[in-house]
Amino acid sequence: MNRDDEPVFKRSKWGNRYHYNPHNPLGLALIIASLLFTATMLILMANRAGPFAPPAAPAPWSPPPFDQSWPPRSTAPLPPAPSQEGP
């Protein structure tokens, strides 16, 4: 029997559905590819890996360093202090 004459999809006996035809080489390849894809996705989901990995935990919040003095500095620079040189 020439396997190339077989259709890739065959009509199912249950309703208006189609299924892969394992008698066609392309249909058999589609069946194997579907099984491998499904098995790979199930393994990735079970291990929470790949696209199913949880998002990375954000870094804990740390406040900015406190580098302000009180009272706040004025916008104008302070005049230089008088020198205390003695006579």
Side-chain angles (χ1 to χ4, degrees):
M1 177 174 153
N2 190 358
R3 293 169 55 123
D4 292 335
D5 292 342
E6 289 283 332
V8 176
F9 299 100
K10 277 192 149 181
R11 186 178 289 262
S12 175
K13 295 177 184 175
W14 302 313
N16 200 9
R17 299 181 186 178
Y18 287 88
H19 62 88
Y20 297 136
N21 184 4
H23 299 293
N24 185 303
L26 183 58
L28 184 62
L30 288 172
I31 290 171
I32 294 170
S34 299
L35 290 174
L36 289 175
F37 177 78
T38 304
T40 302
M41 286 298 139
L42 288 174
I43 290 170
L44 288 175
M45 286 178 8
N47 293 329
R48 295 180 60 97
F52 306 106
W61 181 77
S62 62
F66 186 75
D67 61 351
Q68 298 175 353
S69 62
W70 188 258
R73 297 180 187 152
S74 64
T75 56
L78 297 175
S83 63
Q84 299 258 342
E85 293 182 15

